[in-house]
Amino acid sequence: MIINHPLLGPRDSAEFSYLGDAKMIERPDWGSETAAQDFYEYAYLRHNPAGIHRELWFHECGDRSYLVVTRNTVTHEISNVELARDVARKLGRSK
């Protein structure tokens, strides 16, 4: 599978480590009233969908960047690749 890295261009997926659901970027607010339940769900509950899914990948054998890859888990077709830092900024999690 080829991942079209936003900065480096097309790269073989063997250069990356799969880290799971991209929801990991959306860390819960520790100060909320439901923080204990929110962190439990954040740490232990995962979806495993068949179809379009946003995934977090780490470019281990390259520039060591984190990517959010939107991929069809059935066909492995990749429809979008973004730097995770840009996704986090859109969510207001990083400055």
Side-chain angles (χ1 to χ4, degrees):
M1 182 170 69
I2 301 297
I3 296 175
N4 192 15
H5 194 293
L7 301 175
L8 305 175
R11 315 301 296 175
D12 190 282
S13 62
E15 294 183 12
F16 296 84
S17 294
Y18 172 77
L19 301 177
D21 193 332
K23 288 272 187 196
M24 297 302 290
I25 295 173
E26 300 175 34
R27 187 179 174 112
D29 177 9
W30 64 270
S32 77
E33 290 183 16
T34 59
Q37 181 63 31
D38 295 344
F39 273 95
Y40 167 78
E41 292 173 6
Y42 171 81
Y44 297 107
L45 302 181
R46 300 282 183 270
H47 296 287
N48 189 17
I52 303 298
H53 186 59
R54 288 178 49 144
E55 305 168 331
L56 191 58
W57 290 73
F58 176 61
H59 197 192
E60 187 171 8
C61 297
D63 68 344
R64 306 189 66 75
S65 60
Y66 289 85
L67 303 178
V68 174
V69 176
T70 304
R71 179 175 73 93
N72 186 318
T73 59
V74 176
T75 65
H76 300 293
E77 177 184 1
I78 295 174
S79 58
N80 193 32
V81 180
E82 301 173 86
L83 292 170
R85 70 175 184 216
D86 295 342
V87 174
R89 284 183 182 135
K90 289 178 195 174
L91 295 171
R93 305 284 185 202
S94 176
K95 297 190 187 249

